[in-house]
Amino acid sequence: MKIAIIMGKCVFAVIWLALFSVLAGFAGEVGQQTFALVALLLAVMIIMHLLLLGTFVAIMKPQMLWKKGDSWQILAFGIFAWLAIFKRTNEHANNADQSSSN
């Protein structure tokens, strides 16, 4: 699971870099339609991640082990950040169960 989370974060980092590089003009000259499509894709991805963050915070934050910066992680990496937080919470709960049973 750890490898899947790292791979997913890497894929999202590449996607963000590609979208921003096209918008900034680093990818060469692009037409207006391409620029508009990339801007639309970027807006859709940001809106989806904001919805994921809102849902996650509203429903699951009280049950999760929340750290400073997790909101930014979810905005940047979406579901893969959520999986990392979920994994961290499960590991913490398992360690607490093992220490209480000893």
Side-chain angles (χ1 to χ4, degrees):
M1 175 124 162
K2 185 176 181 178
I3 293 173
I5 291 170
I6 292 170
M7 295 278 293
K9 285 184 176 184
C10 289
V11 167
F12 263 104
V14 168
I15 290 170
W16 283 113
L17 288 172
L19 289 174
F20 281 122
S21 68
V22 168
L23 290 179
F26 296 134
E29 195 63 35
V30 295
Q32 284 184 332
Q33 288 181 337
T34 304
F35 185 83
L37 178 62
V38 170
L40 179 66
L41 289 172
L42 186 61
V44 167
M45 194 158 89
I46 290 170
I47 290 169
M48 298 249 330
H49 284 206
L50 283 170
L51 288 172
L52 177 67
L53 176 62
T55 303
F56 185 78
V57 169
I59 295 171
M60 303 197 72
K61 186 177 177 182
Q63 293 100 14
M64 292 291 182
L65 185 60
W66 196 260
K67 290 185 178 179
K68 186 177 181 177
D70 281 346
S71 296
W72 292 108
Q73 289 279 328
I74 293 172
L75 283 176
F77 303 115
I79 192 71
F80 295 103
W82 179 85
L83 288 172
I85 296 166
F86 188 71
K87 183 177 179 284
R88 178 179 59 211
T89 302
N90 282 344
E91 288 173 352
H92 180 73
N94 289 340
N95 289 341
D97 288 343
Q98 287 176 355
S99 64
S100 66
S101 65
N102 288 334

